[in-house]
Amino acid sequence: MLRRDTSRSYQEFNGEDCAGPEHYQNNVVSEVEQDQASCDPSPDEDIVDNNLMAIGFNKACLKNVFTIILVLIYLLLTTVAVFLAYQTISDFMEKLNHPVMSVSYKEVEEFTAPGIALYPGKAQLLSCKHHYHDNIPPLVALDILEERNCIKEEVIYHGPYSNQTQKRAIVVRGPTDVRNRELLFLQFSRNETDEDFSAISYMIFAKFSDMLESSDKAAFMMDCERNYSMWTFSGGFRTWVKMSLVKTSGRGNESVEFRQESNVVKYIDKRPPQEQANELFFVVFQWRDPFIQQVKDIVTANPWNTIAILCGVFMALFKAADFAKLSIKWTIKIRKRHLRAKMRELNQIS
């Protein structure tokens, strides 16, 4: 009885736990299918991966486009900076070569006595007097020697442009007191000549004292004739000359120039006809106003301002170059990263 139960139970156990070959093959196939099912991605997971790849690609494209735009902007700014540097240097050179004339006026109580050189030719000096307040003295007769209260010198020299021409100049001391309207009145006479036009030339130079102190007065007068202008006054008229002084300085040299305003009054000759053969000349010299016009050359080009602008321009250029270099490196780095990600995806698919 006991042996029969034992054998049955053994058979039941073997039937439940140790199945046949068909049952075992079915179990193996089902397990492999489950593993494959667990390894294969689902359709939802594929969609998510594609979306992530598209988003990453779009961001990379946007970054590349943004980098290219920045590089173009900085190239434009670099071009503007180069043009600004060129324009700054051009303006500096233009202002340096063409200074601006600055005009100012200096008021004085008295002028330095100028020298007035007259070239009478065959005319004779009858009177030479200093007066005040525009009071013109009466004329001097030909047979009367008028007392002269002016300082004068006679200089004979050869002309600066022709050694064959000999000139005789009577140099007188000009007026100085501008406040009291000091004037110098001169009267000449000349006998009848064959000339169609009669006039006496004169020249005004800076300082009468320079001529007195000069060791070679002839050479001094030659230099004055080279540097100063010549004017004339006619016979039969009273010529009133009002002088003004202009000092010009610039580029290491200084020059003095006299400008004048003149007016002419006709002389009414009341002498007997036999005396009218001697032609009379009258001239008055006076200062126009107590102002000295000073003209200076001013270079408006400021080198420090130009250097500062150029330093700023070059700093901008270096900054733009540095940023462009970093942008290009960053673009190359992003490109390489994108290629590595793409190769990784291709390896996974294969």
Side-chain angles (χ1 to χ4, degrees):
M1 187 73 180
L2 292 172
R3 289 179 180 175
R4 189 180 295 173
D5 293 336
T6 304
S7 62
R8 183 182 177 182
S9 61
Y10 179 75
Q11 290 176 356
E12 289 177 358
F13 176 78
N14 290 334
E16 291 177 0
D17 295 337
C18 297
E22 295 178 357
H23 180 72
Y24 177 76
Q25 291 178 356
N26 293 330
N27 290 333
V28 172
V29 171
S30 62
E31 288 177 358
V32 171
E33 290 177 353
Q34 289 177 2
D35 292 337
Q36 291 178 354
S38 62
C39 293
D40 292 338
S42 63
D44 294 336
E45 291 179 353
D46 291 339
I47 293 172
V48 172
D49 291 338
N50 292 329
N51 291 333
L52 290 175
M53 291 174 59
I55 291 172
F57 181 75
N58 291 333
K59 287 184 178 179
C61 289
L62 289 176
K63 289 180 180 179
N64 292 334
V65 171
F66 182 69
T67 303
I68 293 172
I69 292 174
L70 282 180
V71 171
L72 291 176
I73 290 174
Y74 272 89
L75 287 176
L76 179 62
L77 293 177
T78 303
T79 305
V80 173
V82 171
F83 176 75
L84 180 61
Y86 172 77
Q87 192 67 29
T88 302
I89 296 173
S90 300
D91 292 342
F92 177 77
M93 296 303 297
E94 182 71 19
K95 292 178 181 178
L96 187 63
N97 296 326
H98 299 86
V100 178
M101 304 298 290
S102 173
V103 180
S104 60
Y105 292 90
K106 179 182 177 181
E107 186 176 3
V108 296
E109 293 293 332
E110 288 187 355
F111 284 92
T112 302
I116 302 174
L118 301 111
Y119 301 88
K122 295 181 180 181
Q124 181 184 2
L125 179 62
L126 297 180
S127 66
C128 174
K129 282 189 176 183
H130 289 267
H131 297 275
Y132 293 91
H133 301 292
D134 301 342
N135 293 325
I136 301 299
L139 302 182
V140 178
L142 298 179
D143 56 349
I144 299 176
L145 294 177
E146 182 73 13
E147 182 182 357
R148 305 183 180 100
N149 65 350
C150 66
I151 302 174
K152 70 180 185 68
E153 289 283 337
E154 185 172 344
V155 182
I156 298 175
Y157 66 97
H158 292 281
Y161 305 106
S162 176
N163 292 330
Q164 304 299 325
T165 304
Q166 189 176 23
K167 294 187 174 183
R168 182 177 69 93
I170 298 176
V171 185
V172 297
R173 182 179 181 272
T176 59
D177 192 354
V178 64
R179 294 294 181 182
N180 294 322
R181 295 183 181 180
E182 180 185 1
L183 57 89
L184 175 66
F185 176 72
L186 296 101
Q187 179 180 349
F188 293 87
S189 69
R190 184 169 61 183
N191 292 330
E192 183 179 0
T193 62
D194 297 333
E195 296 178 358
D196 295 330
F197 301 96
S198 59
I200 294 177
S201 300
Y202 67 93
M203 175 182 63
I204 305 174
F205 57 90
K207 294 180 180 180
F208 179 73
S209 59
D210 291 343
M211 192 272 299
L212 292 179
E213 296 172 359
S214 177
S215 59
D216 191 350
K217 296 180 180 179
F220 178 83
M221 293 303 299
M222 289 176 63
D223 292 337
C224 288
E225 190 172 347
R226 287 192 188 97
N227 298 323
Y228 294 94
S229 301
M230 300 285 292
W231 292 284
T232 58
F233 59 94
S234 301
F237 297 91
R238 187 195 68 183
T239 304
W240 197 297
V241 179
K242 291 188 177 181
M243 305 174 293
S244 61
L245 185 61
V246 180
K247 291 183 177 181
T248 304
S249 59
R251 305 249 176 176
N253 55 1
E254 184 174 352
S255 62
V256 178
E257 179 186 0
F258 285 89
R259 296 178 182 175
Q260 65 176 21
E261 296 178 0
S262 60
N263 51 48
V264 178
V265 178
K266 181 177 174 55
Y267 168 62
I268 301 175
D269 196 352
K270 300 179 180 179
R271 295 176 298 169
Q274 62 272 14
E275 295 181 3
Q276 293 183 3
N278 290 324
E279 191 175 14
L280 297 178
F281 300 82
F282 313 97
V283 63
V284 179
F285 293 98
Q286 185 181 7
W287 289 104
R288 188 184 66 178
D289 50 44
F291 298 99
I292 299 176
Q293 183 178 349
Q294 296 178 336
V295 182
K296 295 181 180 180
D297 291 341
I298 298 178
V299 179
T300 58
N302 189 354
W304 298 108
N305 187 21
T306 304
I307 292 172
I309 293 174
L310 292 178
C311 287
V313 169
F314 287 125
M315 287 178 64
L317 288 176
F318 286 126
K319 188 66 176 177
D322 188 31
F323 180 82
K325 182 177 69 174
L326 293 176
S327 300
I328 293 172
K329 287 183 177 180
W330 182 71
T331 304
I332 295 172
K333 184 177 179 181
I334 293 298
R335 180 66 178 170
K336 289 181 178 179
R337 185 181 299 175
H338 178 69
L339 291 175
R340 286 197 299 267
K342 190 173 181 180
M343 292 298 296
R344 193 182 300 115
E345 292 174 359
L346 292 174
N347 291 332
Q348 289 178 0
I349 293 172
S350 63

